[in-house]
Amino acid sequence: MKTLQSFRARTGEALGAPLPATTPEQVDAAATAAGDAFAAWAASSGEQRATLLRGLAAALESDREGLVALADDETALGPVRLNGELDRTAFQLRRFADMAERGVAFAFTDDPAVPGAPPVGHPAMVRQCVPLGPVAMFSASNFPFAFSVLGGDTASALAAGCPVVVKAHSGHLHLSNRVFGLVQQVLAAQGLPAGLVGLIQGGGADVGVRLVRHPAIAAGAFTGSTRGGAALQAEASARPRPIPFYGELGSINPVVALPALLATKGAELAATLAGSIALGCGQFCTSPGVIVLIKGAESEAFVAQLHTALAAQNPHAMLTPGMRQAFDAGVEHLVHAGAQPLLREAGNAEAPRPFLAQVEAADFIAKDALREEVFGPSSVIVWADSVAQVLQVLHAVGGSLTVTLWGAETDSTDTRALVRGAMAIAGRVLFAGVPTGVAVTAAQQHGGPWPSSTQPMTTSVGDAAIDRFLRPVALQDAPVWLLAQQGRPV
Amino acid sequence: MKTLQSFRARTGEALGAPLPATTPEQVDAAATAAGDAFAAWAASSGEQRATLLRGLAAALESDREGLVALADDETALGPVRLNGELDRTAFQLRRFADMAERGVAFAFTDDPAVPGAPPVGHPAMVRQCVPLGPVAMFSASNFPFAFSVLGGDTASALAAGCPVVVKAHSGHLHLSNRVFGLVQQVLAAQGLPAGLVGLIQGGGADVGVRLVRHPAIAAGAFTGSTRGGAALQAEASARPRPIPFYGELGSINPVVALPALLATKGAELAATLAGSIALGCGQFCTSPGVIVLIKGAESEAFVAQLHTALAAQNPHAMLTPGMRQAFDAGVEHLVHAGAQPLLREAGNAEAPRPFLAQVEAADFIAKDALREEVFGPSSVIVWADSVAQVLQVLHAVGGSLTVTLWGAETDSTDTRALVRGAMAIAGRVLFAGVPTGVAVTAAQQHGGPWPSSTQPMTTSVGDAAIDRFLRPVALQDAPVWLLAQQGRPV
């Protein structure tokens, strides 16, 4: 029997007893059980879905102390952050509960018949949605609550009427199992089938890939690396019956800071930015990895301020020893490609020190290696000669979850061009604050052009996340009894 | 120089002089020109887009007589159908013009700031859309106007703010070039760049595949065979920077006719269905290829009525000799797989005779070969023992553009189950009439689960077709001048 070992992130020691890896037969059983649970869940009312989602939120909160302590042991993210993340996860479950209750999944377009010959005349049409089917959900390492077992993918899929099979992340196995235990208690208490939410764990093709290939699976949802996401997307596309795969991948999240604003608010912005770079040890998909500045005295002063503020940061241990090693390798890769270090210190075996470097815009544009994401507290200053060159830098980035534009308060040819350039490559454009922190709101868009996500027309955070798991159906000349359903399942 | 020859569909004779195939360099030039035209078109107003789309509609109508005559020579679809299709195409262009003018592409969600700490508190957010970029559009054989150079894909892409490069279909090359000539006149008259709409033609990897691979191309749109669409989708996914590919592929469009309705309206329905099977020589993606009946006297009487009505049909010549041969091969394939012919006559070299066969539901479910689409006037009766077996038949079909349910007027356990089964596999469910004919309306959904389309969350006909070419962007803490744009391009 294959086993899996969890580790304490702060010390690298083994944590708890080894856990059994899910066998191929168990993967198939989880997918089949989700498939068996689909018909009834697809036919469930908004109220039933809301009751489940609220029950899951309450269950998380009821075990808060134990969950946060375990999460902290496995991830080193600290109790303040982890309590906040648990709050966010419960909030998100309740937000999708409210949406389910309001009937968002059952919204419909009534398109009455128009008499006469086509193309003007047409029969009575109604457009509504059906859930896709069981979702294979791949947890992320860096959000053990909000992008894991009960995270946004699971919440939005359940609200849409889809069962979920979760692939637990190896970085927080015990936490995943403890949360899954709560899920099973809630399902049992509400008389729902255990297979409505499944959990599998383990590495290699026998687990995650097998799940994506299973005929009962109708969609994939993933948060993680570009390499891992692209490989699973390829599997999803290569099935005899291809399925949509929603991957939220890596991103370097450029921050463009214009000189006039830096002249007046440089010190404050430097402190804010340094905090964002080091937050959670830089382990966010939205961590600002590139800072684009226009050459001049204001920008030089800002870099000195940023250097000081960043040197004062003390990042905590990274999530896993593998990520800690990957950080050093990524920094080395940047330096080898020509990034000139401004702040580079050794750190220890678990926690790195923040890294800051600088490059000329022309080099950044010319060399792919300078544009690669380094997961951790790293940022590269890109020196541009002009707004036109800033635009070339953004174009070279190509796709990012976010672009931050500081100093665009005034309407001008330059700020318009920068807004266009930012919108062309990002899912979210910020004009104040920092990109870390993704609000769960109606207008949120967490998903940008490739390589930041596989399907940039969709979002993994915010209300529109539910749309990923719904498919429209037009009903033509529907009978009266069916129209009376008003979009609700028959 | 490679050349391409057009043929008269009715006789197989060569039509006109050979046309030059587009060279690889010319494919690149068309994609580059579309890329160069993108920034200005993305920034265009709804009024500008509407003016172009209306100009294109008027241009089509101004050359109606010549276009219809040429289309009839190349496709044999006949002047009545072709005039109607031209009307529909102009209607569609004007409908997207109206949508552009109403600002549909600039719709936005205003999500004001909520004070307080997260997860409840959040910054001010606005959600709006940007166009994806140049679209590679692959014309269909069977709709030389409505799914070709100025068809729905082109209309919706232009309305979204995207340039288009059209791959002309080899079945109507002269028509494509004549329509393209009109497009170029309209672009020039409106002072728009010639590259906003491009045209390429020719077979093999040097043309269509090269277009999909070109870095300037941001999305693909395709109507045609499952094999062709799947191959291009694979190319779109295998790019260094993958792009969305919207393929509307094949479909067998089951018609379920319940005995009670057949008892009262069998003769009328048989005539309607026979007309739909033979319409346009069965060359519709929505042609009813499967008729599911429950065993009994009413159904047997209906089959006799259908046999008579279908034998009286005289399908015209098929679009190309290749399609004519493929029809015979498809029929042979069905018979070889066990379909028992009820109506099978030889036809001539250009026009086939309608084909009708029957199979047991258990065989239909067991054998893939009985569920393959035969493009042309062919339909297979599937004999089921019960409603439960009808549901198994629908499940075996797996994905279809349409399902038609005749006899579901009364609410019952059976009709509910049938509606659920139909909605689970189709993009459109009809309760009266026949699936051929796809209205251009607000609620239309022309796209169902695989293999009927590559992205069943989208539609290629109807108002929502524009969504395929737009991507959401969230603006966080946007400055006042930007909010004043109210979603319009900056």
Side-chain angles (χ1 to χ4, degrees):
Chain A
M1 188 180 73
K2 277 196 213 170
T3 60
L4 310 167
Q5 179 62 54
S6 178
F7 299 92
R8 293 183 200 277
R10 282 196 188 78
T11 62
E13 297 169 287
L15 175 65
L19 294 161
T22 307
T23 65
E25 295 71 28
Q26 289 169 330
V27 171
D28 293 349
T32 302
D36 291 344
F38 176 49
W41 192 243
S44 64
S45 69
E47 290 73 17
Q48 284 172 294
R49 298 180 197 180
T51 301
L52 173 59
L53 291 164
R54 288 177 188 140
L56 295 171
L60 270 186
E61 289 171 338
S62 72
D63 192 24
R64 173 188 295 272
E65 207 173 324
L67 292 173
V68 166
L70 183 53
D72 190 40
D73 257 3
E74 287 191 298
T75 69
L77 290 173
V80 172
R81 146 73 192 272
L82 289 166
N83 271 292
E85 191 184 326
L86 189 149
D87 288 340
R88 175 197 164 159
T89 308
F91 174 82
Q92 193 160 251
L93 286 160
R94 293 196 176 100
R95 190 167 175 108
F96 282 109
D98 293 347
M99 287 171 61
E101 204 168 51
R102 286 203 312 274
V104 169
F106 313 129
F108 68 103
T109 303
D110 188 10
D111 188 2
V114 172
V120 175
H122 65 76
M125 306 282 285
V126 170
R127 183 183 174 85
Q128 58 188 66
C129 283
V130 292
L132 288 183
V135 175
M137 198 291 269
F138 291 81
S139 299
S141 62
N142 56 343
F143 279 87
F145 292 113
F147 288 81
S148 190
V149 181
L150 283 179
D153 289 331
T154 299
S156 54
L158 288 172
C162 298
V164 178
V165 180
V166 176
K167 158 74 170 61
H169 196 279
S170 57
H172 51 272
L173 285 171
H174 286 295
L175 178 68
S176 300
N177 279 274
R178 185 159 172 158
V179 171
F180 183 64
L182 296 171
V183 172
Q184 289 301 316
Q185 286 175 25
V186 173
L187 290 174
Q190 298 193 6
L192 292 166
L196 184 52
V197 181
L199 185 82
I200 65 171
Q201 56 196 10
D206 279 353
V207 182
V209 170
R210 190 175 182 98
L211 180 64
V212 168
R213 287 181 182 164
H214 196 281
I217 296 297
F222 172 93
T223 304
S225 70
T226 300
R227 208 178 67 169
L232 286 171
Q233 183 189 31
E235 291 288 343
S237 301
R239 287 166 46 113
R241 183 182 168 82
I243 55 173
F245 186 82
Y246 305 107
E248 196 262 85
L249 313 177
S251 180
I252 58 175
N253 303 294
V255 175
V256 178
L258 297 179
L261 186 69
L262 295 181
T264 57
K265 293 183 69 178
E268 180 191 329
L269 292 171
T272 305
L273 186 56
S276 178
I277 294 168
L279 186 72
C281 199
Q283 299 167 119
F284 287 92
C285 355
T286 54
S287 187
V290 166
I291 303 154
V292 193
L293 301 176
I294 295 175
K295 288 175 187 169
E298 300 89 344
S299 298
E300 278 170 31
F302 175 71
V303 171
Q305 291 160 333
L306 179 64
H307 183 280
T308 304
L310 202 54
Q313 296 284 334
N314 285 303
H316 56 61
M318 290 194 80
L319 291 158
T320 68
M323 287 182 179
R324 176 68 189 86
Q325 288 154 21
F327 176 78
D328 283 350
V331 163
E332 183 55 41
H333 196 62
L334 283 179
V335 173
H336 184 74
Q340 183 197 339
L342 297 173
L343 176 64
R344 188 183 190 188
E345 297 165 0
N348 64 35
E350 285 78 33
R353 291 286 302 150
F355 174 74
L356 186 68
Q358 62 183 357
V359 298
E360 288 288 322
D363 291 337
F364 182 85
I365 293 163
K367 291 190 193 168
D368 289 355
L370 289 171
R371 302 193 299 270
E372 280 175 17
E373 182 186 9
V374 177
F375 199 67
S378 158
S379 205
V380 175
I381 289 157
V382 178
W383 287 108
D385 292 323
S386 60
V387 165
Q389 202 177 30
V390 172
L391 291 168
Q392 290 166 14
V393 167
L394 293 179
H395 184 74
V397 169
S400 186
L401 291 169
T402 71
V403 169
T404 303
L405 277 186
W406 284 345
E409 282 70 25
T410 309
D411 185 2
S412 72
T413 309
D414 279 352
T415 48
R416 284 190 174 238
L418 286 167
V419 168
R420 280 197 298 271
M423 289 179 77
I425 68 157
R428 178 166 57 116
V429 181
L430 299 87
F431 296 86
V434 286
T436 44
V438 183
V440 180
T441 80
Q444 188 55 273
Q445 173 59 29
H446 191 58
W450 181 271
S452 70
S453 51
T454 63
Q455 301 234 25
M457 283 76 71
T458 67
T459 180
S460 69
V461 179
D463 296 358
I466 195 173
D467 296 342
R468 297 175 297 167
F469 306 116
L470 294 167
R471 175 175 66 77
V473 179
L475 305 179
Q476 182 169 325
D477 292 319
V480 173
W481 68 267
L482 182 53
L483 292 176
Q485 295 287 124
Q486 302 223 338
R488 294 189 309 274
V490 295
Chain B
M1 188 179 75
K2 277 196 212 169
T3 59
L4 310 167
Q5 180 62 55
S6 179
F7 298 92
R8 292 183 202 276
R10 281 196 189 76
T11 62
E13 297 169 286
L15 175 65
L19 293 161
T22 307
T23 65
E25 295 71 29
Q26 288 169 330
V27 172
D28 293 349
T32 302
D36 292 344
F38 176 47
W41 192 244
S44 65
S45 68
E47 290 73 16
Q48 284 172 294
R49 298 181 197 178
T51 301
L52 173 59
L53 291 164
R54 288 177 188 141
L56 295 171
L60 270 185
E61 289 171 338
S62 72
D63 193 23
R64 173 188 297 271
E65 208 173 324
L67 293 173
V68 166
L70 183 52
D72 190 39
D73 258 4
E74 288 191 297
T75 68
L77 291 172
V80 173
R81 145 73 190 270
L82 289 166
N83 272 292
E85 190 183 327
L86 190 149
D87 288 340
R88 174 198 165 158
T89 307
F91 175 82
Q92 192 159 251
L93 286 160
R94 293 196 176 100
R95 189 166 175 110
F96 281 108
D98 293 347
M99 287 171 63
E101 204 168 50
R102 285 203 313 274
V104 168
F106 314 130
F108 68 103
T109 303
D110 188 9
D111 188 2
V114 172
V120 175
H122 66 75
M125 306 282 285
V126 170
R127 184 183 173 87
Q128 58 187 66
C129 283
V130 292
L132 286 183
V135 174
M137 198 291 268
F138 291 80
S139 298
S141 62
N142 56 341
F143 280 87
F145 293 113
F147 288 81
S148 190
V149 181
L150 283 180
D153 289 332
T154 299
S156 55
L158 289 173
C162 297
V164 178
V165 180
V166 176
K167 158 73 170 62
H169 197 279
S170 57
H172 50 273
L173 284 172
H174 287 296
L175 177 68
S176 300
N177 278 274
R178 184 158 173 160
V179 172
F180 184 64
L182 296 171
V183 173
Q184 289 301 316
Q185 285 174 28
V186 173
L187 290 175
Q190 298 194 8
L192 292 167
L196 185 52
V197 181
L199 185 81
I200 65 171
Q201 57 195 9
D206 279 354
V207 182
V209 170
R210 190 175 182 97
L211 180 64
V212 168
R213 288 180 181 165
H214 195 282
I217 296 299
F222 171 94
T223 303
S225 70
T226 300
R227 207 177 68 167
L232 287 171
Q233 184 189 29
E235 291 288 343
S237 301
R239 288 166 47 114
R241 184 183 168 81
I243 55 174
F245 186 82
Y246 305 107
E248 196 263 83
L249 314 177
S251 182
I252 59 175
N253 303 295
V255 175
V256 179
L258 297 179
L261 186 70
L262 295 180
T264 58
K265 293 182 69 177
E268 181 190 329
L269 291 172
T272 305
L273 186 56
S276 179
I277 294 168
L279 187 71
C281 199
Q283 300 167 118
F284 287 92
C285 356
T286 53
S287 187
V290 166
I291 303 153
V292 193
L293 301 176
I294 295 175
K295 288 174 187 169
E298 300 90 343
S299 298
E300 278 170 31
F302 175 71
V303 171
Q305 291 160 331
L306 179 64
H307 183 280
T308 304
L310 201 54
Q313 296 284 333
N314 285 303
H316 56 62
M318 290 196 80
L319 291 159
T320 68
M323 288 182 179
R324 176 69 189 86
Q325 288 154 21
F327 177 78
D328 283 349
V331 164
E332 183 55 40
H333 196 62
L334 283 179
V335 173
H336 184 74
Q340 183 197 339
L342 296 173
L343 177 64
R344 188 183 189 188
E345 298 165 359
N348 64 35
E350 285 77 32
R353 290 286 302 149
F355 174 74
L356 186 68
Q358 62 183 359
V359 297
E360 288 288 322
D363 292 337
F364 182 85
I365 292 164
K367 291 190 191 167
D368 289 356
L370 289 170
R371 303 194 299 271
E372 280 175 18
E373 183 185 9
V374 176
F375 199 68
S378 158
S379 206
V380 175
I381 289 157
V382 178
W383 288 108
D385 292 321
S386 60
V387 166
Q389 201 176 31
V390 172
L391 290 169
Q392 290 165 15
V393 167
L394 293 178
H395 184 74
V397 170
S400 186
L401 290 169
T402 71
V403 170
T404 303
L405 277 186
W406 283 344
E409 282 69 27
T410 309
D411 186 1
S412 73
T413 308
D414 278 352
T415 48
R416 285 190 173 238
L418 287 167
V419 169
R420 279 197 299 271
M423 289 179 76
I425 69 157
R428 179 165 56 116
V429 181
L430 298 87
F431 296 86
V434 286
T436 43
V438 183
V440 180
T441 79
Q444 188 55 273
Q445 174 60 29
H446 191 59
W450 181 271
S452 70
S453 51
T454 63
Q455 301 234 25
M457 284 75 72
T458 67
T459 179
S460 70
V461 178
D463 295 359
I466 195 175
D467 296 342
R468 297 175 297 167
F469 305 117
L470 294 168
R471 173 176 66 78
V473 179
L475 305 178
Q476 182 169 326
D477 292 319
V480 172
W481 70 265
L482 183 52
L483 291 176
Q485 295 287 124
Q486 303 222 338
R488 295 189 308 275
V490 295

